[in-house]
């Protein structure tokens, strides 16, 4: 072990830090007497897929051509790691990239092992073969697979470059691996994250049954955010009755299958008559949802599968799949290099408002350094009584490829500091973080918190449709 502490000392230290963070959150303190329990470090913005609902593939490819760095430099990681791993219970390795593609992944795993920190992998699952499972599994807190359909045809057309059969096989391999862990060992979670859109919402009940067969612990769903007009008609907010009917069917399927299903609140403005009248066309699957895994599900060996992902022509491209195509190049040329690198491919999906820029400009180091203290159950104030809540401000931080720090990765979040200029401990309780916490507690949140879909998807506050239809200003 390369750290100067015994494992029991590290565990005791982290337990005390966790207690103080949670108590501060429960009290609604604006100054948190402890360090964040979870940190997202954007170690890579690279990815092996072109998902139709993602705005990053085209800018990423343009950035690649221009030689922009797609990974956090190892020098920055080496600066950041001792400020994160000794304190955090859990880290996440990327937001818009594929964590299995981090070039110095073994270095990250070593830090996690030495400091008893678990890693949350949010992955597309294509690279999660048996060798990768054995490599990352011991340090995994949760393996969260981005999974956006219940059938291979729809899945492959949404997640260009991925193959439903390969990913479900890999998920079952992971389930087998964790079930074989010795009694008393930490057992990582296995989750699915689902982006709900018109093309897949009718398959949500089938997806739930897929999750049940694969041993998935939880299925987490969120409404798709349409980032341009090409993809706007895929938003469930343009198919409200259908979306609500599918949510209800999915919850019935989850109750029957014993699956923990977390969905956003139903979309308002739809009558019971409209929901009852809508026609829901669930896929008919006479051989079941996973015919390629029948032998494996019965205890047999994992099958060899040749990946056959859809190509651009087979995708939902006509409905707006976000892949580089003729016409996109002109739009991309309008972006200057700095904006492309900092705001599009590797950071903010939504430009900040003038007010948010003003607040960001006020950020400065303040106070004396916090004590160097240091798994991931969110610590947050209650939202009872109409108060806003947040799973990030009292619990998490986000650090971009270039060292910019934000409270979260939600669209429009402000930058509250940079680790090149000040330590994470000062940023965590800096003036902007305290102002944001104070605004939530007092019911007067700063703009990005006021419009955040985290609260509305929980059923707290009203949906604002303009936060699900984002018109990007490509000439900033």
């Amino acid at each position: 072990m390369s750290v100067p502490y015994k494992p029991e000392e590290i565990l005791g230290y982290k337990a005390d830090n966790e207690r103080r963070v949670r108590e501060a959150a429960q009290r609604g303190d604006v100054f948190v007497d402890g360090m964040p329990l979870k940190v997202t470090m954007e170690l890579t913005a690279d990815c092996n897929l072109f998902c139709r609902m993602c705005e990053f593939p085209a800018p990423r490819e343009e950035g690649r051509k221009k030689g922009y760095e797609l990974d956090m430099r190892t020098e920055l990681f080496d600066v950041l790691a001792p400020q994160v791993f000794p304190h955090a219970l859990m880290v996440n390795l990327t937001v818009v990239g594929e964590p299995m593609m981090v070039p110095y992944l073994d270095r990250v795993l070593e830090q996690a092992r030495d400091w008893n920190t678990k890693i949350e992998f949010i992955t597309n699952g294509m690279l999660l073969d048996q060798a990768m499972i054995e490599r990352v599994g011991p340090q995994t807190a949760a393996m969260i697979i981005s999974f956006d359909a219940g059938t291979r045809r729809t899945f492959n057309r949404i997640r260009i470059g991925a193959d439903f059969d390969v990913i479900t096989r890999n998920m079952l391999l992971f389930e087998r691996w964790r079930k074989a862990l010795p009694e008393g060992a930490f057992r990582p979670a296995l989750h699915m994250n689902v982006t709900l859109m018109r093309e897949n919402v009718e398959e949500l009940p089938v997806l739930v049954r897929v999750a049940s067969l694969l041993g998935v612990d939880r299925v987490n769903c969120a409404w798709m955010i349409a980032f341009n007009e090409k993809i706007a008609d895929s938003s469930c907010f343009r198919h409200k009755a259908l979306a609500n009917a599918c949510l209800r069917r999915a919850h019935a399927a989850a109750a029957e299958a014993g699956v923990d299903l977390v969905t956003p609140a139903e979309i308002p403005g739809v009558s019971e008559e409209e929901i009852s009248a809508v026609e829901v066309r669930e896929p008919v699957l006479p051989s079941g949802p996973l015919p390629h895994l029948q032998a494996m599900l019965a205890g047999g060996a994992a099958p060899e599968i040749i990946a056959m992902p859809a190509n651009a022509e087979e995708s939902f491209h006509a409905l707006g799949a976000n892949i580089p195509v003729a016409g996109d190049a002109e739009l991309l040329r309008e972006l200057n290099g700095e904006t492309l690198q900092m705001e599009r491919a590797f950071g903010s999906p939504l430009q900040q408002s003038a007010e948010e820029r003003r607040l960001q400009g006020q950020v400065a180091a303040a106070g004396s350094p916090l004590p160097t203290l240091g798994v991931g159950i969110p610590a947050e104030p209650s939202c009872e009584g109409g108060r806003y809540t947040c799973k990030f401000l009292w619990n998490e931080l986000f650090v971009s490829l270039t060292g910019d720090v934000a409270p979260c990765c939600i669209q429009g979040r402000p930058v509250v500091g940079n680790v090149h200029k000040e330590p994470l401990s000062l940023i965590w309780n800096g003036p902007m973080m305290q102002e944001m916490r104070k605004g939530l507690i007092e019911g007067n949140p700063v703009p990005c918190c006021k419009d955040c879909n985290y609260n509305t998807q929980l059923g707290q506050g009203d949906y604002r449709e303009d936060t699900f239809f984002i018109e990007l200003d490509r000439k900033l």
Side-chain angles (χ1 to χ4, degrees):
M1 186 171 180
S2 60
V3 299
Y5 303 103
K6 297 177 181 178
E8 57 270 22
E9 291 176 322
I10 294 173
L11 288 172
Y13 171 78
K14 289 194 171 188
D16 183 64
N17 181 67
E18 181 181 9
R19 175 187 59 78
R20 288 184 288 109
V21 169
R22 296 198 186 287
E23 289 177 356
Q26 291 164 4
R27 291 191 300 265
D29 295 348
V30 298
F31 183 98
V32 179
D33 182 23
M35 291 292 282
L37 305 181
K38 177 181 175 182
V39 177
T40 294
M41 301 182 293
E42 194 173 39
L43 301 187
T44 186
D46 207 354
C47 189
N48 50 337
L49 302 187
F50 291 84
C51 299
R52 73 176 306 267
M53 62 287 188
C54 179
E55 69 165 291
F56 295 102
R60 181 185 287 120
E61 292 308 301
E62 186 70 8
R64 201 188 307 276
K65 293 174 186 175
K66 293 183 177 181
Y68 294 152
E69 295 182 357
L70 295 173
D71 306 305
M72 181 183 286
R73 292 187 175 185
T74 53
E75 311 92 86
L76 177 54
F77 174 74
D78 288 343
V79 169
L80 187 59
Q83 301 183 63
V84 171
F85 286 94
H87 319 298
L89 299 173
M90 181 162 63
V91 298
N92 179 19
L93 306 187
T94 185
V95 174
V96 302
E98 168 52 49
M100 307 299 176
M101 294 175 67
V102 173
Y104 42 87
L105 181 58
D106 287 328
R107 197 172 186 155
V108 179
L109 294 169
E110 181 181 8
Q111 286 280 339
R113 182 174 59 253
D114 286 351
W115 289 105
N116 197 40
T117 305
K118 294 297 184 181
I119 300 175
E120 178 185 74
F121 286 97
I122 302 178
T123 172
N124 58 53
M126 281 297 290
L127 305 178
L128 192 66
D129 58 13
Q130 187 66 40
M132 182 64 79
I133 290 170
E134 293 173 3
R135 182 182 176 193
V136 305
Q139 298 311 131
T140 299
M143 191 64 66
I144 304 175
I145 310 296
S146 299
F147 202 92
D148 295 314
T151 66
R152 186 182 196 187
R153 175 171 170 76
T154 302
F155 184 99
N156 289 16
R157 294 173 75 194
I158 290 174
R159 305 188 66 81
I160 303 300
D163 189 289
F164 177 94
D165 287 359
V166 171
I167 293 168
T168 50
R169 187 271 316 272
N170 291 350
M171 292 176 70
L172 196 52
L173 283 172
F174 185 82
E175 167 66 355
R176 281 189 173 183
W177 174 84
R178 66 176 187 156
K179 286 181 73 173
L181 291 171
E183 186 176 353
F186 177 82
R187 187 171 185 263
L190 177 60
H191 293 178
M192 285 177 172
N193 277 358
V194 185
T195 301
L196 295 173
M197 63 191 86
R198 174 62 185 89
E199 288 75 23
N200 67 12
V201 71
E202 290 176 289
E203 295 187 7
L204 188 55
V206 175
L207 189 153
V208 166
R209 289 190 278 274
V210 169
S212 177
L213 290 171
L214 296 177
V216 170
D217 303 313
R218 179 180 299 165
V219 177
N220 302 295
C221 304
W223 302 124
M224 184 197 77
I225 295 176
F227 56 86
N228 63 32
E229 187 57 38
K230 286 196 304 182
I231 201 171
D233 195 55
S234 293
S235 170
C236 288
F237 281 80
R238 293 193 175 175
H239 310 275
K240 297 178 181 178
L242 176 67
N244 289 353
C246 291
L247 288 188
R248 295 181 184 185
R249 287 192 176 210
H251 278 287
E256 181 180 348
V259 172
D260 182 8
L261 175 64
V262 179
T263 65
E266 289 189 9
I267 303 173
V270 187
S271 68
E272 289 297 324
E273 290 75 16
E274 290 174 298
I275 295 173
S276 299
V278 74
E279 180 184 0
V280 178
R281 295 172 296 179
E282 287 187 30
V284 177
L285 303 170
S287 300
L290 297 174
H292 61 293
L293 295 181
Q294 285 183 355
M296 191 178 177
L297 287 166
E304 291 291 333
I305 298 174
I306 298 175
M308 294 193 302
N311 56 38
E313 289 72 29
E314 296 172 308
S315 74
F316 289 111
H317 176 69
L319 299 177
N322 187 27
I323 55 177
V325 293
D328 283 350
E330 182 177 349
L331 287 174
L332 290 167
R333 280 195 294 271
E334 295 177 3
L335 292 166
N336 63 49
E338 181 179 0
T339 298
L340 177 66
Q341 185 174 17
M342 300 291 292
E343 297 294 332
R344 286 290 172 272
F346 324 117
S348 173
L350 184 67
Q351 285 76 24
Q352 298 166 334
S353 68
E355 174 65 9
E356 287 164 344
R357 290 192 189 94
R358 181 189 69 79
L359 291 171
Q360 178 180 327
Q362 294 177 353
V363 173
S368 59
L370 296 177
T372 53
L373 308 174
V375 166
I377 301 171
E380 58 185 280
S382 168
C383 60
E384 294 177 1
R387 187 171 67 176
Y388 286 87
T389 190
C390 179
K391 73 172 184 176
F392 299 103
L393 281 174
W394 283 265
N395 187 59
E396 302 187 27
L397 275 182
F398 166 80
V399 185
S400 76
L401 286 177
T402 56
D404 281 340
V405 180
C408 62
C409 57
I410 299 298
Q411 292 85 356
R413 77 278 184 174
V415 174
V416 298
N418 187 289
V419 294
H420 288 298
K421 299 177 181 178
E422 54 190 332
L424 211 59
S425 57
L426 286 182
I427 298 170
W428 173 238
N429 274 309
M432 187 59 173
M433 291 293 292
Q434 293 198 46
E435 181 176 349
M436 294 176 77
R437 292 171 187 142
K438 184 173 183 286
L440 281 182
I441 294 299
E442 295 180 350
N444 184 32
V446 299
C448 71
C449 295
K450 185 176 182 180
D451 296 338
C452 176
N453 290 323
Y454 174 70
N455 280 281
T456 54
Q457 295 203 49
L458 289 174
Q460 180 71 14
D462 298 326
Y463 279 125
R464 273 188 48 190
E465 291 194 22
D466 60 336
T467 65
F468 290 94
F469 295 90
I470 305 301
E471 183 60 37
L472 295 179
D473 180 356
R474 292 187 177 270
K475 295 186 179 182
L476 277 187

